[in-house]
Amino acid sequence: MNNTLKTYLCSAEELNLAKTFECGQCFRWNANEKGGYSGVALGKYLELWEENSDIFCSASPEEAQKIWRDYFDLDLDYLSITSGFRGEYIQKCAEFGRGIRILKQDFWETLASFIFSQCNNIPRIKKIVETFAREHGEKKTSGDAIFYTFPSYKTISKLTEKDLAPLHCGYRAKYILSAAKMLESGEICEAHLKTLPADYMRFELKKISGVGDKVADCVILFGLHNMSAFPIDVWMKRALIENFPKNFNPASFGEYAGLAQQYIFNYARNKGEEN
DNA sequence: GAACAGGCAACTC
DNA sequence: GAGTTGCCTGTT
């Protein structure tokens, strides 16, 4: 039944589906045959599509308001934040990436997904995450769509490396298990982390085996919703070297440095392509 | 078959 | 502390 709902979410100016879902922050959203996107997030299945410069979704009006507006961070004015970034290059990146939203994803899902991501490409990360959900998540239906929720850390904390063998995620399996155990034991606590400044979040997250600066910063930005984090991977390193002065400090972008990071990253990866 | 892929840990000096 | 190497696996 859910699939027949059509609820207005926001304008296509505010939320560009392709840019938002294809910029590497998430792994469970995919272009569908209807010309929109389908995904599983926050334990729910959702479809989104563009129609006459508006974005519609398959949620009820209540859920659209209460859940998805927040998930897509629609109450934050990205344009005014962006106008505060100084420099010609960052403005060019921001213009190119207009419509990108930084998704407010689940903490554990973000942590696990980015542990899987190390030394992997996106198609393969997506495959691992889907298998992970299929094998250990909860099977649910939404209209005629069947989907699997992201497995809870409680479930995963009880598994062994052998249980994760079907994922073919190699040496990352033990990282996932130990991370799940640390969450289950309370050694790492989302609610506590959220009270901390980003530097302390990073320090705590790096106690998890398999989590270094890059993964920690992705978790801070996408999973703990602290936008001062500025994840630096090989693409970002290249972009920074080529376009910024030596010893440039990304923290100078301020409390929304993470948004600047997304724009720079997206531009580095997708410039040269149309659209 | 070797090199590589959107890192990390462990080890070296 | 900066630099190197092994790690699982699938793809080119």
Side-chain angles (χ1 to χ4, degrees):
Chain A
M1 278 299 137
N2 211 358
N3 298 9
T4 62
L5 283 172
K6 174 178 173 180
T7 302
Y8 173 81
L9 185 65
C10 61
S11 75
E13 277 272 282
E14 295 171 89
L15 167 60
N16 181 301
L17 296 177
K19 287 181 192 169
T20 297
F21 292 137
E22 311 283 359
C23 73
Q25 61 178 322
C26 55
F27 304 103
R28 298 204 73 194
W29 290 97
N30 295 294
N32 62 30
E33 68 286 357
K34 301 172 199 167
Y37 278 81
S38 313
V40 181
L42 310 175
K44 296 170 188 303
Y45 173 84
L46 187 72
E47 293 181 7
L48 297 129
W49 64 95
E50 184 178 333
E51 225 174 280
N52 301 323
S53 301
D54 286 329
I55 301 295
F56 292 92
C57 68
S58 63
S60 69
E62 295 73 32
E63 286 199 343
Q65 275 304 314
K66 288 203 177 98
I67 298 173
W68 300 111
R69 274 196 70 81
D70 182 60
Y71 180 78
F72 289 100
D73 202 17
L74 292 168
D75 293 317
L76 193 60
D77 183 354
Y78 280 29
L79 281 181
S80 76
I81 294 168
T82 300
S83 66
F85 295 146
R86 291 278 160 267
E88 205 176 303
Y89 179 73
I90 181 63
Q91 285 301 328
K92 186 168 59 179
C93 295
E95 180 53 38
F96 186 81
R98 189 193 286 235
I100 286 181
R101 313 295 306 186
I102 297 194
L103 303 176
K104 290 192 178 179
Q105 303 185 68
D106 174 77
F107 167 66
W108 156 244
E109 175 168 344
T110 307
L111 174 61
S113 298
F114 280 94
I115 288 176
F116 283 134
S117 82
Q118 63 180 261
C119 229
N120 256 331
N121 51 42
I122 290 180
R124 182 144 171 251
I125 300 163
K126 283 185 163 182
K127 201 170 160 191
I128 292 173
V129 170
E130 265 334 291
T131 310
F132 191 50
R134 196 155 301 216
E135 294 265 327
H136 303 288
E138 217 180 307
K139 184 176 184 176
K140 290 191 173 179
T141 57
S142 171
D144 35 4
I146 295 169
F147 68 99
Y148 297 84
T149 62
F150 196 84
S152 71
Y153 58 78
K154 191 183 181 68
T155 301
I156 302 308
S157 69
K158 300 190 177 80
L159 303 181
T160 65
E161 281 189 51
K162 213 171 233 176
D163 296 318
L164 296 186
L167 308 191
H168 301 287
C169 68
Y171 62 87
R172 304 162 192 85
K174 59 177 183 293
Y175 295 156
I176 294 292
L177 295 179
S178 79
K181 289 189 174 103
M182 286 174 81
L183 264 72
E184 176 62 9
S185 73
E187 200 174 343
I188 294 288
C189 169
E190 177 184 4
H192 171 63
L193 287 173
K194 280 187 171 163
T195 66
L196 304 175
D199 286 347
Y200 289 82
M201 286 179 172
R202 189 176 302 105
F203 181 79
E204 290 297 316
L205 288 169
K206 284 173 70 174
K207 289 179 179 172
I208 302 169
S209 184
V211 176
D213 283 318
K214 196 272 179 178
V215 171
D217 281 334
C218 286
V219 173
I220 293 168
L221 182 56
F222 307 130
L224 291 168
H225 322 137
N226 181 317
M227 294 180 77
S228 68
F230 194 95
I232 298 179
D233 61 10
V234 294
W235 288 87
M236 279 306 293
K237 208 170 279 178
R238 213 172 302 151
L240 289 175
I241 290 170
E242 285 170 12
N243 302 288
F244 291 85
K246 250 188 194 139
N247 298 325
F248 172 77
N249 183 5
S252 62
F253 282 121
E255 60 175 320
Y256 295 104
L259 182 59
Q261 189 272 357
Q262 279 308 97
Y263 289 143
I264 295 166
F265 180 80
N266 176 252
Y267 186 73
R269 297 237 30 189
N270 299 322
K271 68 182 166 190
E273 285 178 24
E274 328 242 337
N275 175 357

